[in-house]
Amino acid sequence: MNFDFPLFLVIATFLTGIIWLLDALFFAKKRRMQSAGDEPQKEPMLVEYSRSFFPVILAVLVLRSFVVEPFRIPSGSMMPTLLVGDFILVNKFSYGIRLPVLNKKVIELAEPKRGDVVVFKYPQNPRVDYIKRVVGVPGDVITYGNKTLYINGEPQPQHHVEIYTGVGSGARETGALKNLEQLGDVEHEILINPMAPDFGYGCQVLMRGPFTVPEGHYFAMGDNRDNSNDSRCWGVVPEELLVGNAFAIWMNWDSNRADFPITWGRIGNGIH
């Protein structure tokens, strides 16, 4: 069972705030009057903890809900851009400000662009967070074949860089082709396995093109093109399931690395 941390934060903020407020309005003054001239009555432990923790929990709730949220990369679907064990930061207000838990947008801001790396709620199970790259925006016609992405009939250019050598949890991708793909104004790395089918292994629903992205939806794909459960398998991402734009790596920890679990050179890298 997935722990609903946003709901926990909302409930904890509400409870600690109410306890502190009720004490301040009705009980604190009474304690002071009863202890006049005597030793001051001690503040109840529940009130003391509530008064101490309320500002901290409130600050975490505001920052996590409206500013930035940390995530950990659990799989290799975004290799080589993101590796297993990367801890990333996600800008929560990139695509509008939403209420916590309800996820209802209250302020419209920018919309995702082709090439953005986004975190979203998995359409088939919204309790699970996914991270992929937006390759199609509303109105785009998407086709994928022969390891090439076509947008509105135009192949997105890519050129070979090297044979990829993976380490740690990504070692199984060793031997894949690392290419540079030009997706609009964004140039990014992808992995290609020439021996794998175009839609990867294990897709339940194959989004064979041409496919027109409907209004209010986005077509998302992993940079590890032949090892990614993405829009080719289960469809498009509704706008209301977007969480935010991934913009930086703040830590990397992969216990499967042979030498040392932390890759120092990845810390502080931007995500493109």
Side-chain angles (χ1 to χ4, degrees):
M1 183 176 69
N2 292 318
F3 177 63
D4 195 335
F5 189 61
L7 179 60
F8 166 78
L9 281 178
V10 170
I11 293 174
T13 303
F14 176 78
L15 288 179
T16 54
I18 285 294
I19 291 171
W20 186 19
L21 178 62
L22 290 177
D23 181 74
L25 292 176
F26 301 108
F27 303 109
K29 184 177 180 180
K30 185 178 179 180
R31 284 198 305 273
R32 288 195 296 270
M33 292 177 61
Q34 291 177 345
S35 61
D38 300 321
E39 184 177 345
Q41 290 190 5
K42 188 176 181 180
E43 188 176 58
M45 184 176 295
L46 181 60
V47 174
E48 182 181 353
Y49 281 145
S50 296
R51 177 172 52 80
S52 300
F53 285 118
F54 172 72
V56 177
I57 298 174
L58 178 62
V60 172
L61 175 65
V62 171
L63 287 173
R64 190 181 185 278
S65 299
F66 304 115
V67 183
V68 66
E69 182 175 357
F71 286 88
R72 185 177 187 274
I73 302 301
S75 74
S77 70
M78 281 296 291
M79 293 174 62
T81 305
L82 296 172
L83 305 182
V84 176
D86 279 346
F87 290 79
I88 65 171
L89 295 176
V90 174
N91 186 331
K92 296 295 291 288
F93 59 85
S94 298
Y95 309 129
I97 296 178
R98 299 176 183 272
L99 296 176
V101 180
L102 299 177
N103 204 37
K104 179 179 176 57
K105 185 183 290 187
V106 292
I107 299 179
E108 295 278 351
L109 293 174
E111 297 179 347
K113 306 181 297 298
R114 293 191 205 100
D116 284 1
V117 177
V118 301
V119 171
F120 56 91
K121 302 295 183 182
Y122 180 34
Q124 294 189 351
N125 181 6
R127 295 177 66 86
V128 177
D129 294 311
Y130 264 37
I131 183 167
K132 306 291 178 186
R133 188 180 299 274
V134 172
V135 300
V137 297
D140 282 346
V141 179
I142 303 296
T143 308
Y144 187 76
N146 296 321
K147 310 299 180 183
T148 301
L149 173 66
Y150 295 80
I151 301 178
N152 301 322
E154 296 293 328
Q156 303 306 291
Q158 58 176 275
H159 64 269
H160 177 62
V161 177
E162 63 183 4
I163 303 297
Y164 186 71
T165 301
V167 296
S169 299
R172 65 178 182 175
E173 302 299 338
T174 296
L177 305 181
K178 184 166 80 170
N179 294 350
L180 273 180
E181 180 181 72
Q182 188 71 40
L183 187 60
D185 295 331
V186 177
E187 186 178 60
H188 66 103
E189 296 177 339
I190 60 174
L191 292 184
I192 296 293
N193 180 356
M195 304 303 294
D198 278 339
F199 293 88
Y201 299 105
C203 277
Q204 299 300 311
V205 179
L206 302 183
M207 301 292 293
R208 301 188 184 277
F211 176 83
T212 301
V213 182
E215 194 64 33
H217 292 75
Y218 298 89
F219 201 98
M221 293 175 62
D223 289 348
N224 190 353
R225 290 288 165 79
D226 299 305
N227 190 14
S228 174
N229 180 30
D230 54 37
S231 287
R232 294 169 293 174
C233 304
W234 39 256
V236 287
V237 180
E239 187 274 339
E240 61 267 21
L241 294 185
L242 293 174
V243 173
N245 175 226
F247 68 93
I249 300 168
W250 65 271
M251 173 56 75
N252 172 276
W253 181 284
D254 184 355
S255 58
N256 289 320
R257 287 181 62 93
D259 46 4
F260 190 70
I262 298 177
T263 306
W264 299 104
R266 296 189 63 76
I267 298 175
N269 287 353
I271 299 174
H272 306 289

